[in-house]
């Protein structure tokens, strides 16, 4: 099987017969190598950051995502893993006729931003890594470098807590998300304080969430899309009710207790609540919705096969990108112009600002997954 290339592979590396796994490479270098180089450049040039309240480089790159105004669209598909961001960025077209690939920035902290066209509309795919703190970086730093209303769709993976959610389904958090937090005071006081605290739900943007579910049903069939409540946890293990002998987690009834409390609870993951909460607090400037692939069926203890996951990720990526590209949104008039100016003036592989991010030409050396 021939190696598939995307975004102008300049490495000249030979095709590897039978390669099945996606291996993200950036101009022939592994992601780890590029990250190490970025980190070295940051150490050399990090002195240029002056604002302690909202750190940015002299040329406007944010501290953790490493992007600046003109590199990020106000339509954002955000995903947890860098490899999912890389894979889905194959669905984007270059921003302008002179470009051979989407604009791509990998920050020294490992956040990847790829900006290109989907159905002729500028869209960014941004990895948010794992947990609410990283989602916080993603939302705030993208907001800081975009103009107009920002629309964000998270495409993640999750555990399915109860039927009708089943393995491989797309679980849309149309009823919003609650937050489940381990409360260390329960262990400190040991006086019956509940070991896990839960918040009230925060809602998504109703139009965006409904459009996502409708597009999912249209492309995959309604039997594969389930709408309900999501729970965002501060741990993959304890506060998702995973039990093990190494820690005193006091969580053996947590998942079933949550389902009793919230009969419409479908999914558990680690970021949606933070995204929806920030959108709620954005003074109306951010619209957000979330859809997660049921990767683990918690009630039957089954886990989705890797190849099936890749295929569903691609399908769900198309659904999310279609939804974002069709959303009626106040697009900044200056966005496309700025993007074109910057991309025309930028070499394909160079440091971004003070080295906080690196513009990258990325490609996969494996075949695309089955669709
Ligand atoms: C845990 O394995 C990670 O997977 C889920 C959780 O939210 C957490 O980030 O989502 P992603 O697949 O989008 O990362
Ligand atoms: N991600 C999570 O956070 N939990 C799961 O069970 C599966 C994916």
């Amino acid at each position: 099987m021939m190696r598939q290339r995307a975004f102008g592979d300049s490495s000249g590396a030979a095709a590897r017969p039978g390669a099945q796994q996606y291996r993200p490479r950036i101009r022939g270098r592994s992601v780890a190598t590029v990250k190490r180089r970025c980190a070295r450049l940051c150490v050399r040039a990090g002195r240029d950051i002056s604002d302690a309240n909202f750190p940015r480089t002299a040329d406007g790159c944010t501290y953790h995502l490493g992007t600046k105004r003109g590199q990020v669209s106000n339509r954002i598909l955000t995903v947890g893993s860098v490899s999912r961001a890389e894979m889905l960025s194959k669905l984007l077209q270059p921003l302008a006729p002179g470009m051979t690939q989407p604009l791509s920035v990998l920050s020294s902290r490992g956040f990847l931003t790829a900006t290109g066209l989907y159905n002729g509309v500028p869209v960014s795919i941004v990895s948010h890594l794992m947990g609410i703190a990283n989602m916080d970086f993603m939302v705030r730093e993208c907001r800081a470098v975009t103009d107009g209303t920002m629309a964000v769709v998270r495409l993640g993976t999750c555990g399915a807590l109860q039927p009708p959610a089943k393995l491989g389904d797309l679980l849309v958090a149309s009823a919003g998300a609650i937050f489940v937090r381990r409360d260390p005071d329960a262990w400190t006081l040991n006086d019956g304080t509940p070991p896990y605290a839960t918040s009230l739900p925060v809602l998504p943007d109703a139009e965006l969430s409904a459009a996502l579910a409708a597009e999912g049903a249209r492309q995959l069939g309604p039997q594969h899309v389930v709408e309900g409540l999501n729970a965002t946890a501060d741990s993959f293990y304890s506060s998702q009710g995973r039990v093990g002998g190494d820690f005193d987690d006091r969580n053996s009834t947590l998942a079933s207790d949550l389902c009793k409390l919230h009969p419409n609870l479908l999914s558990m993951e680690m970021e949606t609540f933070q995204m929806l909460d920030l959108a709620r607090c954005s003074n109306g400037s951010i619209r957000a919705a979330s859809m997660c692939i049921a990767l683990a069926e918690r009630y039957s203890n089954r886990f989705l096969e890797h190849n099936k996951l890749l295929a569903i990720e691609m399908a769900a990526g198309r659904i999310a990108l279609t939804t974002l590209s069709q959303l009626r949104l106040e697009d900044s008039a200056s966005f496309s112009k700025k993007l074109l100016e910057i991309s025309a003036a930028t070499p394909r592989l160079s440091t971004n600002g003070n080295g906080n991010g690196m513009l990258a030409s990325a490609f996969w050396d494996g075949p695309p997954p089955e669709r």
Side-chain angles (χ1 to χ4, degrees):
M1 198 178 302
M2 289 299 290
R3 189 175 73 162
Q4 302 282 319
R5 289 179 181 180
F7 314 161
D9 171 7
S10 63
S11 71
R16 196 140 33 81
Q20 291 300 320
Q21 295 278 325
Y22 277 102
R23 290 194 177 76
R25 299 192 64 81
I26 296 167
R27 285 231 147 171
R29 299 180 180 99
S30 70
V31 170
T33 304
V34 173
K35 274 199 209 167
R36 272 197 302 277
R37 289 192 63 192
C38 283
R40 279 203 298 274
L41 287 160
C42 283
V43 169
R44 280 211 299 272
R47 282 164 290 179
D48 294 345
I49 293 174
S50 54
D51 182 357
N53 184 60
F54 197 94
R56 279 193 226 225
T57 61
D59 66 345
C61 293
T62 54
Y63 187 48
H64 305 91
L65 271 74
T67 47
K68 57 186 169 186
R69 187 163 252 98
Q71 293 181 332
V72 187
S73 168
N74 57 343
R75 295 167 195 263
I76 296 173
L77 169 57
T78 189
V79 301
S81 74
V82 174
S83 59
R84 190 180 311 144
E86 284 256 31
M87 185 172 79
L88 295 181
S89 67
K90 291 180 73 173
L91 299 172
L92 300 181
Q93 300 299 313
L95 283 162
M99 297 175 74
T100 56
Q101 59 202 11
L103 186 79
S104 173
V105 177
L106 180 67
S107 82
S108 61
R109 293 281 183 168
F111 291 94
L112 179 71
T113 301
T115 301
L117 299 177
Y118 192 83
N119 288 338
V121 178
V123 179
S124 289
I125 298 177
V126 185
S127 63
H128 60 64
L129 311 182
M130 286 185 283
I132 62 166
N134 282 318
M135 178 57 92
D136 197 74
F137 286 130
M138 196 289 296
V139 175
R140 290 179 192 271
E141 295 192 7
C142 285
R143 179 62 289 182
V145 297
T146 50
D147 299 305
T149 303
M150 189 170 117
V152 194
V153 169
R154 160 162 155 75
L155 169 57
T157 61
C158 65
L161 286 180
Q162 56 184 339
K166 58 186 187 308
L167 219 54
D169 280 352
L170 300 183
L171 309 184
V172 179
S174 53
I178 56 171
F179 185 48
V180 181
R181 176 179 67 84
R182 183 183 171 103
D183 184 357
D185 287 354
W187 282 261
T188 307
L189 300 171
N190 226 0
D191 63 350
T193 299
Y196 296 90
T198 57
S199 77
L200 295 169
V202 179
L203 292 172
D205 180 88
E207 184 192 348
L208 185 55
S209 191
L212 199 56
E215 189 59 31
R218 196 183 69 78
Q219 291 196 27
L220 281 191
Q223 70 278 20
H224 294 301
V225 181
V226 191
E227 295 183 70
L229 182 69
N230 171 73
T232 292
D234 65 353
S235 164
F236 182 83
Y237 297 101
S238 63
S239 31
Q240 292 194 27
R242 288 189 159 88
V243 289
D246 291 336
F247 298 93
D248 170 22
D249 283 329
R250 305 181 192 178
N251 64 350
S252 56
T253 63
L254 178 61
S256 57
D257 289 348
L258 288 170
C259 289
K260 271 184 218 139
L261 198 60
H262 299 283
N264 63 342
L265 182 59
L266 297 176
S267 56
M268 249 190 151
E269 44 77 92
M270 299 179 66
E271 297 85 13
T272 293
F273 179 87
Q274 187 69 10
M275 179 184 70
L276 300 185
D277 186 30
L278 286 176
R280 167 175 69 176
C281 298
S282 69
N283 303 316
S285 80
I286 301 178
R287 302 174 62 181
S290 179
M291 173 171 80
C292 288
I293 301 162
L295 179 63
E297 207 174 77
R298 297 295 307 284
Y299 55 89
S300 67
N301 204 21
R302 291 189 305 144
F303 209 85
L304 194 65
E305 290 158 45
H306 184 64
N307 277 342
K308 285 191 182 158
L309 173 64
L310 290 178
I312 299 170
E313 281 177 315
M314 284 300 275
R318 282 198 184 83
I319 290 162
L321 288 167
T322 303
T323 306
L324 277 165
S325 67
Q326 289 178 351
L327 185 71
R328 279 175 290 116
L329 195 64
E330 175 210 336
D331 275 309
S332 155
S334 62
F335 171 71
S336 299
K337 188 167 165 278
K338 271 191 189 136
L339 252 174
L340 293 185
E341 281 166 11
I342 289 168
S343 52
T346 314
R348 285 292 162 264
L349 185 66
S350 69
T351 56
N352 195 7
N354 72 347
N356 206 32
M358 179 172 268
L359 285 168
S361 307
F363 67 91
W364 291 105
D365 67 355
E370 242 173 69
R371 307 215 176 121

